[in-house]
Amino acid sequence: MKINPKDPVLMAIMSDIHKTAEKPLPGYKTVRQWADAWGFKSSRALELLNKGIKFGTIDKKVFRVSVLEQKRIFPVPHYGLKKKK
């Protein structure tokens, strides 16, 4: 059996098993990253992202990422455009 290391579902499972960090999918950013990109405070960016989720425009995914200078791994919500079907 050949394993596809680029499959996001498999990588999430393996990350949980090994308690390792995941690389967020392209186009997904944290609230703080969106706030910086848009020139808003984090609270306003979160408000807009939540409205986007409500309207079906934005997708929220949680990725395990390294924080605190790469010393700890935590689940952090990331937001990106929802793919149209």
Side-chain angles (χ1 to χ4, degrees):
M1 172 171 52
K2 196 170 191 177
I3 296 175
N4 181 359
K6 294 186 180 184
D7 180 59
V9 174
L10 176 61
M11 295 309 295
I13 293 168
M14 296 304 289
S15 173
D16 282 341
I17 290 170
H18 298 292
K19 302 292 184 213
T20 57
E22 302 173 76
K23 185 174 181 181
L25 296 174
Y28 281 78
K29 299 178 185 181
T30 64
V31 171
R32 184 175 294 159
Q33 290 169 330
W34 283 117
D36 290 343
W38 295 338
F40 293 130
K41 291 184 177 183
S42 294
S43 58
R44 177 66 175 147
L46 180 58
E47 181 182 325
L48 292 170
L49 289 166
N50 283 331
K51 284 183 181 182
I53 291 170
K54 180 181 175 183
F55 295 129
T57 308
I58 299 294
D59 189 29
K60 176 182 174 182
K61 293 184 184 273
V62 178
F63 297 96
R64 294 174 56 84
V65 296
S66 297
V67 294
L68 302 175
E69 299 178 15
Q70 310 295 328
K71 293 181 181 178
R72 301 288 307 267
I73 298 170
F74 291 102
V76 178
H78 286 68
Y79 303 83
L81 278 177
K82 190 175 263 189
K83 294 184 181 179
K84 301 207 179 204
K85 294 180 182 179

